[in-house]
Amino acid sequence: MLQRIIQQFDLQLDTIHEVDDSHSSTVYRCQLSNNEYVFLKIPYSNLKFQRELEAYHILKGIIPMPELLDSWSGDEEIPGALLLSALKGQPLSENDSQATAYQVGVVHASMHGIEPPHPLHTVQNEFANWPLFIEKQFYSFAEDVKEIIDDHLFKKALNKFEFMKNQLPKPDGPSFIHMDFRPANIIINNGNVSGIIDFESVRFGATEVDFTKLYRDYLSYDEKLLQAYTNGYNSVRPLVNLEIVLPFYRFTDAFNSIGWCKRRGLEKNKRFLMENITALNQLLG
């Protein structure tokens, strides 16, 4: 499969290495014969390929991201492939400065400021039925989760979902949401945001779902980082009240992630599975 894609893009390679921290798609870092670097991305499905391809067109010129050099819609065996320019830098970490956190807030808010264009093709607009979208996701993953966790914890999770969803404020949107906005997908170079990556799961919907992973893996480590990020975000558009919405979305993210691990392979995603089971137990008290 890989050789077929390399031939399709007519790549002259010196080296090629698979990228580790890619949970869904398969990504390769390629050194070309002219010593330049590019990334070759094979999305999990053709739907995700089409969604990411459309996202690149929607986001172009609005937020920093890799340049889309080429694309191929695939065939019966290959779901599609994207050829992307290499961004300079490393994934965001809690060691990055408050100034960087401010920039992340600005970029995130700029993305959320994008309203649905017309027409849309593969990137769905879920905002009009947002509560139904969240409920459908939760109960779809519940079919998988019930095979993983004990019955008492499972029933407790269902009861908590039904209670908490009725306490949510009016959704904020419709906005372009990343759905996997975490440090691994935010590239930093010399303190600056050089680009955002991975648009397989994007939607138009309510912004509050989009803070969960960033808070979990970055903002929760330091109150000063959270404040800097908040200031950056508010410089573009008002930030929702995270204290109100984060408990619900952190809970549903942990629950849904357990179901995701069941679908994608328990052994392959064992560490991620255990992290979310631990988080679910903590969030359920």
Side-chain angles (χ1 to χ4, degrees), residues 204-224:
F204 282 92
T207 63
E208 44 263 42
V209 74
D210 225 20
F211 303 105
T212 308
K213 296 175 183 180
L214 183 68
Y215 181 84
R216 179 193 68 195
D217 298 338
Y218 176 62
L219 298 176
S220 62
Y221 288 102
D222 189 335
E223 182 64 31
K224 292 180 180 179

Side-chain angles (χ1 to χ4, degrees), residues 212 215-216 245-255 282-283:
T212 308
Y215 181 84
R216 179 193 68 195
V245 299
L246 267 179
F248 174 78
Y249 284 101
R250 289 180 65 203
F251 156 66
T252 55
D253 177 65
F255 184 90
Q282 292 173 344
L283 291 165

Side-chain angles (χ1 to χ4, degrees), residues 58-72:
I58 293 172
L59 295 170
K60 187 175 182 179
I62 298 176
I63 67 167
M65 59 184 185
E67 181 183 353
L68 178 62
L69 302 173
D70 204 349
S71 64
W72 177 47

Side-chain angles (χ1 to χ4, degrees), residues 89-132:
Q90 301 295 326
L92 177 71
S93 81
E94 64 270 22
N95 296 320
D96 284 306
S97 69
Q98 294 173 48
T100 301
Y102 184 95
Q103 283 191 41
V104 172
V106 169
V107 171
H108 205 186
S110 299
M111 186 166 61
H112 287 170
I114 303 171
E115 297 182 356
H118 297 284
L120 278 172
H121 301 288
T122 311
V123 178
Q124 301 96 321
N125 184 359
E126 306 285 1
F127 184 75
N129 298 302
W130 186 252
L132 182 61

